[in-house]
Amino acid sequence: MLSQAVAARIIADVTDAQAARGTASIVLTGGGIGGATLRELAAAPAREAIDWSALDVWWGDERFLPAGSPDRNDTQAREALLAHVPLDPKRIHPMAASNGQYGDDLDAAAAAYAEQLAAAAADGGPVPAFDVLLLGVGPDGHVASLFPDAPGLSDERPVIGVRGASKPPPTRISLGLNAINAAREVWLVAAGEEKAAAVKAALGGEAGLPAARVHGREATKWLLDRAAASAL
C-alpha cells in the first residue's frame, strides 16, 4: 500500500537527517493520501527510531478555517499522528486559523507564517531547508493550494494567501513555489486512477501545471500507486 511505503520512507529519511545534523524538518500535506500516510506512520513500530523531540513539523498549505475545524490540515494531522508521538509543541508550526490572532485577515496570517519560516532558517534565507516536503497531487495537477492558472503560481513570496481556490474552501494559505523548491527533497505522492492524467502531464513538463514546477534541491521523488502511474 502506498501510504505504508511513504511512511517507511519518512522514517528512514528523518532518522538519516537527524543522524547527520541532530535535527530534522518535515512539511506535511493534507488530502486522503496525506492523512493515510500519517496514520500508517503512527501505527509503525519503526516510528520509535525517530527522535520526535528533534523534529520540526510544518505545513505546505492550510484551509483558512477556525481552529479545530475538522477540515483543517493541522486538525487532521494531530488526530492521525501528532497527538500520538512525543513532539515538542514549540516545534509544531501550524498556519493561522481564521479565528486566531489575525482574525479573518488572510494576508496578515500568510505574512506571519513567512516570518516564522524566516526565523527558523539557519542560513538567513527566507525558509528552512526542509528535509522532506510532502505534496499531494490533485486531478488537475495542483499541489499545496497552488492551482493551475492561479495568480499564486507567479507570486515570489514564500507564503501566500489564496482566494477563489477551485475547490472548497476557496480561502487558503499556501507555501509559494520558491518556498517549496527550497526543500532538500520534495515528494509528490499520488494514488488513484483519477490522478493518472495529471501525473503524466506533470512528468512531461506541462508548463502550466503546478506539479510540473516543483522540485527539491537534492531530490524530487514521485511516489505513486499503480493506478496513478497507469498512464505513464
Side-chain angles (χ1 to χ4, degrees), residues 12-75:
D13 279 46
V14 167
T15 54
D16 285 350
Q18 290 179 333
R21 291 180 289 277
T23 187
S25 59
I26 187 169
V27 180
L28 301 182
T29 187
I33 191 65
T37 296
L38 296 185
R39 288 190 291 273
E40 291 293 345
L41 187 51
R47 79 180 198 190
E48 300 301 329
I50 294 175
D51 180 356
W52 294 98
S53 68
L55 179 66
D56 280 285
V57 177
W58 303 87
W59 274 266
D61 73 322
E62 186 56 273
R63 299 169 177 91
F64 197 51
L65 297 169
S69 167
D71 292 326
R72 279 180 58 89
N73 290 336
D74 79 305
T75 303

Side-chain angles (χ1 to χ4, degrees), residues 120-147:
D123 60 0
V127 298
F130 309 113
D131 291 295
V132 175
L133 187 147
L134 295 167
L135 292 172
V137 180
D140 60 353
H142 83 267
V143 293
S145 285
L146 301 176
F147 294 87

Side-chain angles (χ1 to χ4, degrees), residues 73-100:
N73 290 336
D74 79 305
T75 303
Q76 296 171 14
R78 291 176 192 275
E79 291 175 353
L81 173 67
L82 306 188
H84 309 292
V85 291
L87 286 157
D88 180 348
K90 294 179 180 179
R91 302 185 79 160
I92 304 173
H93 309 280
M95 293 178 170
S98 62
N99 63 345

